Each structure stands twice: as structure tokens, then as C-alpha cells.
Amino acid sequence: MTAFVRDQWYVAAYGREVGRELLGRTVLGEPVLLYRTEDGRAVAMSERCVHRRFPLSQAPSRLDGDRVVCGYHGFTYGTDGGCVSVPGQQRIPRTARLKTYPVVEQDSFVWVWIGDREPGDALPPRAPWLDSPDYTVVSGMEPIDGDYGLLVDNLMDLSHETYLHGGYIGTPEIAETPITTEVDDTAGIVCVSRHMDDAECPPFYAKSTGIEGRITRWQDVEYHAPCLYLLHSRIAPVGAPGPNPDGTDPHAFHVEVVYGITPSTERTTYDFWAVARDFALDDQDVTEFLHTNNRTVVMQDVVALNVLQKSLDTEQAGYQELSINIDTGGLAARRILARLAAAR
Amino acid sequence: MTAFVRDQWYVAAYGREVGRELLGRTVLGEPVLLYRTEDGRAVAMSERCVHRRFPLSQAPSRLDGDRVVCGYHGFTYGTDGGCVSVPGQQRIPRTARLKTYPVVEQDSFVWVWIGDREPGDALPPRAPWLDSPDYTVVSGMEPIDGDYGLLVDNLMDLSHETYLHGGYIGTPEIAETPITTEVDDTAGIVCVSRHMDDAECPPFYAKSTGIEGRITRWQDVEYHAPCLYLLHSRIAPVGAPGPNPDGTDPHAFHVEVVYGITPSTERTTYDFWAVARDFALDDQDVTEFLHTNNRTVVMQDVVALNVLQKSLDTEQAGYQELSINIDTGGLAARRILARLAAAR
Amino acid sequence: MTAFVRDQWYVAAYGREVGRELLGRTVLGEPVLLYRTEDGRAVAMSERCVHRRFPLSQAPSRLDGDRVVCGYHGFTYGTDGGCVSVPGQQRIPRTARLKTYPVVEQDSFVWVWIGDREPGDALPPRAPWLDSPDYTVVSGMEPIDGDYGLLVDNLMDLSHETYLHGGYIGTPEIAETPITTEVDDTAGIVCVSRHMDDAECPPFYAKSTGIEGRITRWQDVEYHAPCLYLLHSRIAPVGAPGPNPDGTDPHAFHVEVVYGITPSTERTTYDFWAVARDFALDDQDVTEFLHTNNRTVVMQDVVALNVLQKSLDTEQAGYQELSINIDTGGLAARRILARLAAAR
């Protein structure tokens, strides 16, 4: 399995998932309880009661104002994790306190810090398109029964779109076109670029952009290890002008694909996926079409990775995998993850 | 997990479950076959054929008179476990014999002795209300996917009624009222008492007793480690006279709650529950109401304990639980179980 | 568990199962991909892509002519296992090659050789009735959730027919009649014979042969370790003449029962079963009757063996089984399997 990287921010939920109901998520093996206080602040703490380990997201556990009441014996906790009430006695044991987790709500995600030291000035990486008025977003979360490293591998090598997602977002040019890879080991960022000058337009994009002929298609991957994956996707009719020197790019369609890759247990992963577009912003048909089809594509990956995990589980000892040029980005990501995991 | 205590009587079944069909139960990890002979005697023996370990409660295994015929190759056993017939030959191997288990049928239960020595004079503890003409009983058995110690913990600390069974048998006074605990280490008995002088009457009891106002509610727990749990429950209108010096108590309603706590495997448990009342003896509506609602309450525990076992299974190493006054009885029970398990 | 015997032929599929769709089977723990080339030849190779171990029988993996295209990233393989195309580059890594398996298609089965050395002159054992014009065959394959040794045990001792298959193929005489056993250790063949001169005709055979009275019933088992089991079954009315010196036997009905016993994983097994008869060759009603009823009998075994495996999984340490005369053939088979497994 891929080692966990602690002392990092991870996407625990979408902001819309965190409210006045208790939500439980397991991040890097730690059970985390999430809810929103009456004044709207997202908080995170251990999801297990200190008394007998009852899961605090499990009914009849409940919120009482901003306090969490355990559904088993009524141990009650404040937003700072401190226990404020126990049954049958006035004295609260000094050690009755839930671990709390630093929380940042940013770019539609609720990020939690998992680690042994404090985050200090460290902030989660950005995905500003997800709550920008200039973009319309479709998104979701799918659990994967597999090591998070399988999802990193999957996303770092988009040549699989041609095969696993053929007929959806894949066309022959993706697998045919060589990649350029740049690795910033210090920052823990891997960039993989594939620029196709004259490519078939997948039905996916033809339908949503209205382009009828062949396209220029750029895929610029930017992976911020361990948790955030960005795919800057640019589609334009062949022959259309490129971006302006000032960064504006009025002749192209832009899609920003964002993945929050959150290890849950050693062999389960939360796959937070979001797709932001800068066109047809108010076209509800396009929104529905992209939501349905992007989810279909994500589920093709989920099914494949679940199968792959089962293959690896029964693989005989001593097997070796074989890597080629397309794997350059994925192998760089693995090296960074291994280094980060070991560095703690 | 909680260690098994051998050389003890355990509830293997209700008498009504043991008849002319072969019944298999696993007690302390031992597969036990139960049936009733033609003259009505309950017998228990190993549930695995000596030949190839086929389970003797599995069809087409069957009874032939008082003999058990294995459904695989026809090895046939008498009530003393001795093999009386094998296929293809007249000679019966001397060692072809199933282990038998001492059986006592008492208080509606079929008890079996699990251990390495004989029970001698030891008899199972009593729950005489369960087949007394002065009581009407509702009962059942629910399997739990959890360590039996979790059920002992649950039952020894009734403050959980306020939270887990709120709206059923729980009211605020239970968690609020301090307990008195008495431990008889030699006899292996733990008593926990909670006497509420002026308490809300839970709908559960209001409906079945007809009491309309507040109540005096006594809960006297008497746990006979490892297997039998008794809750003597007394309900009376506030202000009603107490029990007479001779033990009679005509102004109160009495409910005797009995649990047979039978470890099946290391993480499964049989939860035999029975509720005997000394009022509305012939009122079928009350019987149905109490059967339905007591089963609902038991299932609230079962669901919670199944969840708790899963929590513990994935708990990270080195976790510590925190105990308070309400746990005094449960901790005493654990100490006695540990001592009994080690003493063998 | 029963040790695997490598360097042997195993039945991987019926010929009819292998076609222009990719078929995956796991034999002795090895994932095997089977398909038929455009010119009709059955081929077998490793079912896991060399790149990232994606299962090649899993959609969207597919055939392109005689080549296998991995559904994840498009690695493409020829029938010799050699990789002929990878995405994004022209150069194919020298080591990009799937292990291939020797294949023999014979007697309606597709046999694969599992081992470390080549088969050389070794050929699979024969079951010629399965594609002979003189016989009509019903057949199928059922997966068993159990060690293959349990199926060998089951088939070597037909006394179980009296009990597990009573009312189908079992009658009292089978369990009552002693067996004769012959073992050829060198050839790895065990023969078990049971000749019943005057036996009840099971409804199974009464209906298919039209015999109305009692029968002479011969069961001659011939087990070729590890994989092929033959049961030569002869049924004739009591008093009918026996076989002629030249081997012809016009007064009897013959049923050749064939099992391919293929270990899949340590606790799963493919149970290939086929029943060939030399009577009522074109009677479709008899064919349907025998297909339905033989499958029912096989499923009685499957259910029993699945249960038996679960019994063994939870059996306490140190248990001993007890063997008697009927087990002579099965014990001989176990000895041969152990010797073959150790001899490699």
C-alpha cells in the first residue's frame, strides 16, 4: 500500500455536506466528526466518545446547540472537544476531551489537518474555480475500495482516457501524444502536460461546447501531493487564436477538473471530484449533461480501481510492474509521497 | 476481546427451541447439537461428525428415533454420543464418539455446561419468574456481532437507557441518579441499584401499567457472572406504600428482566432476553405491546453493540477508554470475568 | 488445505466456453486469460497486464483480431504473449511479455499446463466419451468455496450417495456394499470398485433407462491425480447377461461420469462435471431430465462442501478426523497428492 502522509491538509467533505447533522468521515485511518455550529463555522473533532468509543456520528448521537451528545451514555462535548457533561455525577474527568482537528473551509471544500504537529502557517492548496462566479461547477464524491495511490496513478497518466473512457472523454490522440513532465520536489508538485494540436472532439465536449469540427486540446495536470489534483483543460477549434500575453484566452473553452484525493483507510479512498467550466454558465442542460457524464467517467475509474485493488490483493509474491514514458508523472508522484511519508 | 470463562453453565436455547428438529448453536466456540429425545429429554453433544466434521445440524442430517444420522455418510450416534452405525462395515471404531454436554432444563432455558471438568453439584443460577404461573413473560433471542463483554458492559450501566433508549424505557432521571454497587467476588455476583423516588413514567410503563402520573422507580441489577443477568424493576405511583416487611409488595408493579449472555465466538454473542411481569397477566394487548417494544429496545442495543464492535476492530493501537462512577458495576464485572477466565 | 500439484494439466474450461470473448479463470492461484483466435485455436496467457496488473478479462479490455487490448491503458498483446503496442511511444520494452500457458483441447475440455517446466510429451488424461458420437452428454461447471481436496474426498467415497443424495442417485445398497480399492502409486491412479448384484434402482436411473425392477449396479471409480475423475457406471436388470469377453456389453446401460477437479485458489475449486450415456441418445426428454437432476446432485455436493469448508475454517486446533474402510480410496488419493506436491 501507499504510505500515509501525515501533517497535511486533506479534503474531508464539501462544505455543503457539513451542516447541523453529524457527519462522520475516516481520514488517514482517523475517525473524524464534522458539523457546523449555529453561527455557521465548520468544526472537526474525534468521532469516538472517550467513554466507550461509541461513534459520535451514529444515531442517536445528536447535536444540542453546538454541543455533541453521545447516543450511548450522553457524554457531551463542546466545539473545543472538551467534555461538559457526563451522566450521574457533577465532576467531569480532566482527561475527558476529544482531539480536535484544524479546519479550513476554502474553495467549496472543508479541509482538515491530519498530523501530529500544528499546521502553523501552512494552508491548503487552492482550487479557486470551485466557488468563483466566473465558473459553473458539477461535483460529487465517490468512495473507492482501494489504496489512494491507485487513484494518484490513475490521474497522473491520462493516456487511460483513450481506453477506459473511450467514447466519453477519450480519443486516440491522448494515448498517442507524448507528455512533458516537470517535477518540483521541494514544493511537492508534479506537472504533466499533453498538448494536442489537432484532435478529435470527444462527444462529451462537442455537446457541451457546441464545437463541430476538430479541436486543439490541452491537458495540463498539476498535482499537489498528497491531496489535490488539478487538470487545466483547454479546448478550442483548430486554428483559433491562442491565449493572449496577458493570460486571457477568449477563443477557447476552459474546464478546470479538480480532485481531492483523501486516503480513508489503508485500502479505501474518498474521491472528491469537481468540474468547473467557464462557458454555458447558466445552461442547466449542459450542467445536467456534464454532471451525469462526469460521474459516469468517475465511476469507470472507481470500478477499475476496485478491480485493480482486488487483483493486487491476490497477486502472488514477487510480481513486478513495468513502467514506460507515460508513467513519468505517476512515478514522480510516488517518489514524492514516499519522501513525505518518510520525512515525518 | 473478553476472555471466555469455561467450566460454567450457559444458556444454549429456550426449551421451546429444542425439539425433534436438530438445532445447532456455537457456545464458547464449541459447536453444540441440541435436540429432544422421544421421551422429551433435551440432550446436547458435539455438532461435528467424527468422520469428516460434517455439521450434524445441517440437512440432510436428521433424527432417526433418538439417534442422529449424519447427512454426509450416515455415521449414526446415540444420545450418549456413541457411534452405533457406520457405512460399509459392521465394526464401529472404538473412538467414534461425540463429546456430550451436561444439560439442565430450568426456568424455560436449556443450559449446557461448557468446560473441561464435570459440573459436579454446580447448578445454573435461577430465573424462576420465567416459568412461574404468577408472571407473564415475553422473550426472544437476538444474535450480536460483538464480544460478549460489550453486552455485559451495556447491561451493567443502565444510564444508557436515558440516551440509547430515550422515548422507550429511558427518562432523564436514570442518568441523573447515582448508583449503589455491591460486589461479591467469591460468588461472582455484582449488584447495582438505582432507586428513583420521583421520576417520569416512560410511555413504555405508562401504557402497560395504566399509571398516569410520576413514579417511584427502582432498578436492582443482579449479575451472576458470566452468564445470567437479572434486573429487578419496581414501579409504583409516587406516594404509594413500599414493600411490606414480609416481602410482599401489593402496591407496586414488578418486572423481572432476565438476560442469558452466551458467548458464541470471540466476536459473536447470543442475547437471550426475557421480560416477566406480575400484572395484566392475561391481557394479550399488554403482552403484544411489551413483546414488540422490548424487542425494539433490545435491537437498539444490538445495533449499537454491532457498531461498537466495528469501531473497536478498527481502533488504532494504544487507545484508552475513560471510566466514571456509572461504570463501577461494569468494571467489577470485568474483573470477575478476568479472574474466572484465569482461574481455570 | 490440500497442497497444489504443479507441473500438471488442468481443465480450465469447456471448449464451448472459450470463444471470441475474453474469459478469465484462476487456476492454482494463477490468473489465466483464455480466448479463441480467429482461426479457432484456444490460447491461454497471464490475465494481468504487465503495466499495472489490470485484469485482461475485465471490460473494457477486448480482442482486436487475435490481439488482446488492455482496457486500462491499451497495452496490446499477441497470441504469444508478446506486447506489440504501448501508448505514447514506439519502443516496446523488451520485457513486456505475458506468460503463456500450453493448451490442449481434448474431450470437450480446454486443458492448460500449470507449472514451472514444460509439459514435454505429457498429455492430459482422457475422457473420450465426452465428444464421442456413441454417447450423449450433459455437463456444467459449478464453483465451490472450498479446498479441492474436499471434492476429491467426496468423489472417492460414494457411500455418501446413500445419505447426501438419497432419493436421487443414492440407495441403501451403496453404503452397505464393501469396496475394492487398487492404487497405482507410480501412475498416480486410484481405482475404487463397488459392485452391487441386486440393488434398488434409484428413480434417477429408472426414469432414464426404463428399467422397472431391481438392478445390477457397478460403480468403478478411476481417479487420475490430481485433476481427472472418472466413474464408470453400469446398470442392468438383475439376471441380465454380463459383458462379453470382447468388452461389448449389449445388455447393460452405461454412464460415464467425468469430473475435472481444478483448484482455483487455496479455498476455491472449479467443479467441472459431465455425464455421458450410451442409451436414449436422441431422447431430448431424457437429456433434460439428466441435466436437471445431475446438476441438482452436484449442487447437493457443492452446498455440503461449502458448509464443510466453513466448519473446518472455525475448527479448533488439534481436532482429528476418523477414517474407516470406505475412506481407503480417498486416503490413497491424499497420499498421492501429497507426494506429487512434494516431488516438484
PDB file of all heavy atoms in Angstrom, chain A residues 301-313:
ATOM      1  N   ASP A 301     -13.595   4.858 -13.521  1.00  0.00           N
ATOM      2  CA  ASP A 301     -12.354   4.763 -12.752  1.00  0.00           C
ATOM      3  C   ASP A 301     -12.557   3.979 -11.453  1.00  0.00           C
ATOM      4  O   ASP A 301     -11.736   3.139 -11.093  1.00  0.00           O
ATOM      5  CB  ASP A 301     -11.834   6.174 -12.413  1.00  0.00           C
ATOM      6  CG  ASP A 301     -11.165   6.855 -13.595  1.00  0.00           C
ATOM      7  OD1 ASP A 301     -10.574   6.148 -14.433  1.00  0.00           O
ATOM      8  OD2 ASP A 301     -11.217   8.093 -13.669  1.00  0.00           O
ATOM      9  N   VAL A 302     -13.637   4.281 -10.750  1.00  0.00           N
ATOM     10  CA  VAL A 302     -13.875   3.624  -9.461  1.00  0.00           C
ATOM     11  C   VAL A 302     -13.971   2.105  -9.655  1.00  0.00           C
ATOM     12  O   VAL A 302     -13.332   1.329  -8.940  1.00  0.00           O
ATOM     13  CB  VAL A 302     -15.155   4.176  -8.797  1.00  0.00           C
ATOM     14  CG1 VAL A 302     -15.562   3.311  -7.601  1.00  0.00           C
ATOM     15  CG2 VAL A 302     -14.949   5.627  -8.359  1.00  0.00           C
ATOM     16  N   VAL A 303     -14.746   1.683 -10.649  1.00  0.00           N
ATOM     17  CA  VAL A 303     -14.891   0.245 -10.913  1.00  0.00           C
ATOM     18  C   VAL A 303     -13.525  -0.362 -11.246  1.00  0.00           C
ATOM     19  O   VAL A 303     -13.152  -1.417 -10.721  1.00  0.00           O
ATOM     20  CB  VAL A 303     -15.895   0.003 -12.058  1.00  0.00           C
ATOM     21  CG1 VAL A 303     -15.819  -1.437 -12.551  1.00  0.00           C
ATOM     22  CG2 VAL A 303     -17.309   0.361 -11.609  1.00  0.00           C
ATOM     23  N   ALA A 304     -12.764   0.323 -12.091  1.00  0.00           N
ATOM     24  CA  ALA A 304     -11.451  -0.208 -12.492  1.00  0.00           C
ATOM     25  C   ALA A 304     -10.508  -0.286 -11.295  1.00  0.00           C
ATOM     26  O   ALA A 304      -9.790  -1.280 -11.119  1.00  0.00           O
ATOM     27  CB  ALA A 304     -10.850   0.657 -13.593  1.00  0.00           C
ATOM     28  N   LEU A 305     -10.521   0.735 -10.449  1.00  0.00           N
ATOM     29  CA  LEU A 305      -9.583   0.734  -9.318  1.00  0.00           C
ATOM     30  C   LEU A 305      -9.993  -0.289  -8.259  1.00  0.00           C
ATOM     31  O   LEU A 305      -9.140  -0.929  -7.639  1.00  0.00           O
ATOM     32  CB  LEU A 305      -9.473   2.143  -8.720  1.00  0.00           C
ATOM     33  CG  LEU A 305      -8.933   3.211  -9.686  1.00  0.00           C
ATOM     34  CD1 LEU A 305      -8.764   4.558  -8.980  1.00  0.00           C
ATOM     35  CD2 LEU A 305      -7.623   2.786 -10.326  1.00  0.00           C
ATOM     36  N   ASN A 306     -11.297  -0.462  -8.072  1.00  0.00           N
ATOM     37  CA  ASN A 306     -11.745  -1.514  -7.147  1.00  0.00           C
ATOM     38  C   ASN A 306     -11.276  -2.887  -7.633  1.00  0.00           C
ATOM     39  O   ASN A 306     -10.823  -3.726  -6.845  1.00  0.00           O
ATOM     40  CB  ASN A 306     -13.276  -1.519  -7.021  1.00  0.00           C
ATOM     41  CG  ASN A 306     -13.815  -0.300  -6.282  1.00  0.00           C
ATOM     42  OD1 ASN A 306     -13.054   0.512  -5.771  1.00  0.00           O
ATOM     43  ND2 ASN A 306     -15.134  -0.170  -6.241  1.00  0.00           N
ATOM     44  N   VAL A 307     -11.398  -3.119  -8.930  1.00  0.00           N
ATOM     45  CA  VAL A 307     -10.944  -4.386  -9.515  1.00  0.00           C
ATOM     46  C   VAL A 307      -9.430  -4.516  -9.365  1.00  0.00           C
ATOM     47  O   VAL A 307      -8.912  -5.581  -9.016  1.00  0.00           O
ATOM     48  CB  VAL A 307     -11.345  -4.445 -11.006  1.00  0.00           C
ATOM     49  CG1 VAL A 307     -10.539  -5.501 -11.745  1.00  0.00           C
ATOM     50  CG2 VAL A 307     -12.836  -4.729 -11.149  1.00  0.00           C
ATOM     51  N   LEU A 308      -8.734  -3.427  -9.609  1.00  0.00           N
ATOM     52  CA  LEU A 308      -7.281  -3.444  -9.536  1.00  0.00           C
ATOM     53  C   LEU A 308      -6.816  -3.769  -8.112  1.00  0.00           C
ATOM     54  O   LEU A 308      -5.876  -4.536  -7.911  1.00  0.00           O
ATOM     55  CB  LEU A 308      -6.754  -2.071  -9.971  1.00  0.00           C
ATOM     56  CG  LEU A 308      -5.348  -1.984 -10.528  1.00  0.00           C
ATOM     57  CD1 LEU A 308      -5.112  -2.993 -11.635  1.00  0.00           C
ATOM     58  CD2 LEU A 308      -5.103  -0.570 -11.066  1.00  0.00           C
ATOM     59  N   GLN A 309      -7.493  -3.185  -7.137  1.00  0.00           N
ATOM     60  CA  GLN A 309      -7.124  -3.474  -5.740  1.00  0.00           C
ATOM     61  C   GLN A 309      -7.297  -4.960  -5.447  1.00  0.00           C
ATOM     62  O   GLN A 309      -6.459  -5.589  -4.805  1.00  0.00           O
ATOM     63  CB  GLN A 309      -7.964  -2.639  -4.775  1.00  0.00           C
ATOM     64  CG  GLN A 309      -7.625  -2.868  -3.315  1.00  0.00           C
ATOM     65  CD  GLN A 309      -6.239  -2.356  -2.949  1.00  0.00           C
ATOM     66  OE1 GLN A 309      -5.915  -1.199  -3.169  1.00  0.00           O
ATOM     67  NE2 GLN A 309      -5.401  -3.225  -2.406  1.00  0.00           N
ATOM     68  N   LYS A 310      -8.407  -5.531  -5.947  1.00  0.00           N
ATOM     69  CA  LYS A 310      -8.615  -6.972  -5.732  1.00  0.00           C
ATOM     70  C   LYS A 310      -7.532  -7.791  -6.427  1.00  0.00           C
ATOM     71  O   LYS A 310      -7.081  -8.814  -5.901  1.00  0.00           O
ATOM     72  CB  LYS A 310     -10.001  -7.389  -6.242  1.00  0.00           C
ATOM     73  CG  LYS A 310     -11.115  -6.926  -5.319  1.00  0.00           C
ATOM     74  CD  LYS A 310     -12.429  -7.628  -5.634  1.00  0.00           C
ATOM     75  CE  LYS A 310     -13.528  -7.117  -4.713  1.00  0.00           C
ATOM     76  NZ  LYS A 310     -14.865  -7.586  -5.123  1.00  0.00           N
ATOM     77  N   SER A 311      -7.127  -7.361  -7.612  1.00  0.00           N
ATOM     78  CA  SER A 311      -6.026  -8.056  -8.299  1.00  0.00           C
ATOM     79  C   SER A 311      -4.778  -8.020  -7.443  1.00  0.00           C
ATOM     80  O   SER A 311      -4.095  -9.029  -7.256  1.00  0.00           O
ATOM     81  CB  SER A 311      -5.708  -7.381  -9.635  1.00  0.00           C
ATOM     82  OG  SER A 311      -6.712  -7.591 -10.571  1.00  0.00           O
ATOM     83  N   LEU A 312      -4.468  -6.843  -6.918  1.00  0.00           N
ATOM     84  CA  LEU A 312      -3.234  -6.706  -6.149  1.00  0.00           C
ATOM     85  C   LEU A 312      -3.314  -7.503  -4.853  1.00  0.00           C
ATOM     86  O   LEU A 312      -2.319  -8.060  -4.398  1.00  0.00           O
ATOM     87  CB  LEU A 312      -2.967  -5.228  -5.858  1.00  0.00           C
ATOM     88  CG  LEU A 312      -2.691  -4.399  -7.123  1.00  0.00           C
ATOM     89  CD1 LEU A 312      -2.635  -2.913  -6.796  1.00  0.00           C
ATOM     90  CD2 LEU A 312      -1.386  -4.839  -7.784  1.00  0.00           C
ATOM     91  N   ASP A 313      -4.522  -7.570  -4.277  1.00  0.00           N
ATOM     92  CA  ASP A 313      -4.679  -8.319  -3.020  1.00  0.00           C
ATOM     93  C   ASP A 313      -4.340  -9.791  -3.192  1.00  0.00           C
ATOM     94  O   ASP A 313      -3.919 -10.460  -2.242  1.00  0.00           O
ATOM     95  CB  ASP A 313      -6.121  -8.214  -2.508  1.00  0.00           C
ATOM     96  CG  ASP A 313      -6.430  -6.832  -1.952  1.00  0.00           C
ATOM     97  OD1 ASP A 313      -5.484  -6.066  -1.695  1.00  0.00           O
ATOM     98  OD2 ASP A 313      -7.623  -6.531  -1.785  1.00  0.00           O
TER      99      ASP A 313
END
